[in-house]
Every structure is written in structure tokens, then in C-alpha cells.
DNA sequence: CGAACACTTGACAGCCCTCAACGTGAGTGG
DNA sequence: CCACTCACGTTGAGGGCTGTCAAGTGTTCG
């Protein structure tokens, strides 16, 4: 039923129809750079030359591994990518879940190596961008450079989002609401969606025990905030959820 | 005695001595860009045109405020800057402490407004860089562009450093060791230094109660890890401190 | 010298983690 | 079709880390 949420927007939209095959994934994180005025067609051609479609990755497949040399960032085209570290006690520290249209690998530029692992949670399609080539093109295209700066700036903010000492309830509420909003921004229902990650993944992301996540979700359900069966979520009371998440999401 | 740590490197080093006054602060975060080969002198002149020295700020002075329009990033030239948010309960959420040579404001590029406050903890001197001008120059100077990418990439990593569910001991150890290393990188003693922030600031940074920070520090002292009188720190057993902080600093 | 502030120390409680057991759904092979 | 397996999720009991509250000490500065 809701498996459509797992395979979003593989469709391509024709941006330029003058005979060549310049296309963008509908959610491409860079499309807006080229849709604006003042960007010539040759730049768009150069951009497509540095894109490398990759996938499908199956659940559990590594997109990149901690310590491997960095050479490319990637845009998620379909599916969900989990980035994480494993501490010496063998426990996962999940950095984030990355949906279609989002960029992974920006934290690897400094250090020239990937500082974390990235695995597919479901069937994942990617667009890889050689970063040296991307930077070169950005020198010629101020809009692209600005866009990269913005993407990285946004990641700084996202990375510290859950840094505060929030309660378990606030964390879970913010996680669900954040997911809801990101899905909505990509054209999916903000009220009904399927979690692509396990309770344990969520717990490792929110720095909690899996049991705590489970308990909070069940309590949310008892309080008629939402309905959740296995990984199918339906949000029933958006405004109360927003109130709980307000401290973390800041609006 | 150790007040020298509060007024580091206001000295200027002459980079170009051909008659003009092109100078760098010794710890300038951008000096290395221009010290490398292949960068012409006109670029250096352009760079100096977009620098605006600012300060001194007195303790408690705001460098910028949450919500204000973003137009410039800044390099700390002297002193310590604290960046933070205030939640609706009125409690501070400290994002970081920024020492000489470090850049603040990179998280404001996306959104065009400063997402947090920045105040001086002691006497602070800054170099402000108009970001639009900086980006323009970066288009001409690949080295500068790459440097900005690296600085922002590093901030992504730093922002998630304390995100894990670490113990109070690990957090305090990592905080002290991180400070020690950053001071050492700027030519100060890694073994003896003065904290420029209060226990409460440290606590709000590490997401703990001030009482917890105080207790941990006293226990560290009893265990002969360090000696601390008010804000004067002396590290006595670096290797044990490193062992405690290893999970967070990842070496 | 007194007030304000920062820091310390102690007692207590609460949130959440740990440990353990059980339930549930999906896939497999007989 | 059903029993089995296995991973995942749920639920309960108990304890520990650390936050909260409170009081005391020390330092700075007017």
C-alpha cells in the first residue's frame, strides 16, 4: 500500500528540450541552480558530465565507508541512506537519515576521508558528483557555489539539532515531525508515511535505548497523537506534536 | 600569570614586504590560502579590501544576535567567543567556544540570518569578512573556495561531536582535551591554560548541570588527572585524559 | 566592608538505561 | 498449509547516572 513511499521520484523531468538529453531528477538538489536565469546551457552540459548515476543499492549495502578516501558527494535520488559511526563498544551512533533530494558526504571534504559510514536502508539510487569537478564548476557558476555554501551551512545547523538535553518525548516528536516535513517538501503525505528505519536506528539517532523509543511511540498512540503499526505511521494530532517538538525544531 | 592566554596573538606578521601594508594576524584562518604558490598579489589586495577589523568587544558584548540579517562571517583574532541559543525556558544552549583563528557565522549562510547569538567571554578582537565579497573572491581563487569548503565541512563534524550519549566524565575530559589541543595548535601550552568560560557555560555546552561539571572536575583532581583552581587548569595525566576522551574526540 | 556572583558540596529524586522475557510478523522449507 | 526460525518490536522490573534543590564557601568589585 504505502510502498510507494519507498520508491519515490525515479521519474525524470525534462529541463531542456532542445534535442539533447539534459534531464534532472525531479528532486535534484541542484536543479534550482540551473533553472534560474543567467545560467548558460554549456554550464548545464558540464554539470551533467560530472554526474554519475549509481545504484540500485540493496538494504544493508554500503554507499561509502569510514576512512575511505573522499572524492565525491552524492545526492540521494531514491530510498533512504543512513550515515553512522560505530564506537569501540560496537554501538552505532547514527548521524542522520537522508531522503531523496538530500546530499551526503559534505562532512568529508575536510580530512579528505569519509568520517562516517553510509548504508542503504531500502532500495537506494544515487547521483555521484566528483567533488573536485564540482568545485571547479562552482568557480565558474556563482549560483552553484552559493548553493554549495548553503547546503553545507544547513548541515552545520542540522548536525547540532538534537544536541540539546531534550526529553525522550521531545526527541521522538521532533524526529517524526521532521520526517513528516521533509516528506511533505518532496510531495508525499505529511500525515501518513512509512518509516524506513528500525526502532534501533531511531534510538541510535536520538541517543536513546530502543525500548525508550518503543515506549514513547506507544504512549503517543494511547494519547491519540498518532497511530503506528509496525513501521506505518499516521499522525492524528499535528498541532500537539508540533508543540512537543517546538524546542528542538525551533518552529 | 596566565592572563597572556586571554590576549593571544594581536601581533601582526608581515607577509608581503614590498612597501604596501599587507599583513596577516599570525593565526589568521585564511593566511595559508595566500601563502601558497600560484596566488597573485592582486588577490591578496582584494582580500584585504574585504577585511574589516572590529573590536575590542568587552565580556558580555554581543558579536551578533539570533535573527539578525547575515552579511558577514568573522574570524576570532583574540579572545573567546561563545555562540548559543536561548530556549523558551530561558536556558542557554551553548553551541561552541571559538578561539583565535576560528571562524564564526558559517551556519548563517543558509537562511540569511544568524541562527544563534555570539557574545565575547573576554576581550575579543575580530576580523569581519563580507560574505558576498568573500564568495566573489572565492570564484576567482580556487584555493580560497576550497578553504571555505573545508572550514564548513569541519564545522559539520564539530557540530555533531558531542551528539552521542556519553557520560559526564567523557564529556568533561573531551572538552578539556579539545581545548588543550586547540590552544597547542596556536602555540600555547597544552598543559597549563585558563578557562575563559564559567562552569555554567561549560555545563550548557556539554548538556549537563553546572553541579555535575563541578563534581567531575573535583573528582578528576582527586584522581590526580589534573589540578584546577577556579579557572586555572593544569593537566597532570594527559594519557589517562586522552583515554577517557577517546570515544568523543576519536583520537 | 558588604553585596553579588561563581563555585562547591550534600541530599534526594526522577528519567531513562539495562536486563529479561514475551509477542508478532515475514520468510522458509517440509 | 503449517511449523519453524529469526529479526524486530513490546512490555515489565529494577537500578544508576545525573538533574534539581538547597545551603555553604570563596572571590571580586563597588
Amino acid at each position: 500500500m504505502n510502498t510507494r513511499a519507498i520508491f519515490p521520484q525515479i521519474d525524470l523531468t525534462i529541463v531542456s528540450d532542445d534535442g539533447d538529453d539534459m534531464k534532472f531528477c525531479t528532486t535534484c538538489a541542484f536543479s534550482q541552480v540551473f533553472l534560474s536565469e543567467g545560467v548558460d546551457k554549456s554550464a548545464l552540459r558540464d554539470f551533467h558530465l560530472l554526474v554519475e548515476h549509481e545504484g540500485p543499492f540493496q538494504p544493508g549495502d554500503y554507499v561509502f565507508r569510514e576512512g575511505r578516501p573522499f572524492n565525491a558527494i552524492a545526492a540521494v535520488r531514491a530510498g533512504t541512506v543512513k550515515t553512522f559511526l560505530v564506537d569501540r563498544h560496537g554501538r552505532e551512533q547514527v548521524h542522520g537519515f537522508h531522503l531523496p533530494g538530500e546530499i551526503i558526504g559534505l562532512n568529508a571534504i575536510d580530512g579528505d576521508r569519509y568520517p562516517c559510514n553510509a548504508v542503504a536502508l531500502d532500495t537506494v539510487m544515487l547521483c555521484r558528483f566528483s567533488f573536485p569537478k564540482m568545485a571547479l564548476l562552482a568557480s565558474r557558476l556563482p549560483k552553484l557555489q552559493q548553493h554549495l555554501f548553503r547546503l553545507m551551512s544547513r548541515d552545520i545547523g542540522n548536525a547540532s539539532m538534537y544536541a540539546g538535553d531534550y526529553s525522550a518525548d521531545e526527541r521522538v516528536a521532533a524526529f517524526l515531525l521532521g520526517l513528516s516535513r521533509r516528506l511533505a517538501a518532496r510531495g508525499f503525505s505529511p500525515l501518513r508515511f512509512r518509516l524506513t528505519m528500525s526502532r534501533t536506528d531511531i534510538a541510535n539517532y536520538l541517543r536513546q535505548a530502543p525500548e525508550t523509543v518503543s515506549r514513547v511511540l506507544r504512549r503517543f498512540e494511547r494519547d491519540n497523537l498518532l497511530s503506528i503499526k509496525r513501521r506505518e505511521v499516521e499522525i492524528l494530532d499535528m498541532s500537539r506534536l508540533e508543540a512537543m517538538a517546538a524546542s528542538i525544531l525551533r518552529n
Side-chain angles (χ1 to χ4, degrees), chain A residues 240-251:
Chain A
R240 254 200 302 160
L241 207 61
E242 282 169 342
M244 298 188 65
S247 330
I248 299 180
L249 297 181
R250 320 213 102 231
N251 165 52

Side-chain angles (χ1 to χ4, degrees), chain A residues 61-81:
Chain A
D61 286 353
Y62 276 76
V63 172
F64 53 73
R65 284 175 190 271
E66 181 188 357
R68 292 289 165 81
F70 165 76
N71 44 32
I73 61 176
V76 180
R77 191 148 55 104
T80 311
V81 174

Side-chain angles (χ1 to χ4, degrees), chain A residues 13-85:
Chain A
T13 301
I14 294 177
V15 167
S16 140
D17 55 358
D18 54 1
D20 51 46
D21 56 353
M22 297 303 173
K23 297 167 184 177
F24 272 119
C25 312
T26 52
T27 57
C28 179
F30 294 101
S31 58
Q32 60 194 91
V33 171
F34 295 91
L35 291 173
S36 56
E37 299 173 36
V39 176
D40 59 68
K41 290 229 161 62
S42 77
L44 181 56
R45 253 193 304 278
D46 291 346
F47 181 76
H48 275 85
L49 285 176
L50 63 82
V51 181
E52 210 176 301
H53 284 216
E54 205 176 7
F57 294 87
Q58 297 309 318
D61 286 353
Y62 276 76
V63 172
F64 53 73
R65 284 175 190 271
E66 181 188 357
R68 292 289 165 81
F70 165 76
N71 44 32
I73 61 176
V76 180
R77 191 148 55 104
T80 311
V81 174
K82 172 181 77 172
T83 49
F84 65 101
L85 280 172

Side-chain angles (χ1 to χ4, degrees), chain A residues 195-232:
Chain A
L195 300 175
T196 48
M197 65 295 288
S198 69
R199 300 284 192 275
T200 301
D201 284 338
I202 299 174
N204 290 337
Y205 178 56
L206 302 178
R207 321 302 163 191
Q208 297 174 337
E211 294 92 330
T212 302
V213 174
S214 188
R215 272 186 260 266
V216 171
L217 286 175
R218 303 306 309 219
R219 185 152 35 73
F220 281 2
E221 193 166 46
R222 279 203 304 279
D223 295 348
N224 294 315
L225 270 169
L226 50 81
S227 149
I228 179 167
K229 290 181 195 66
R230 203 155 173 80
R231 296 189 179 181
E232 302 293 335

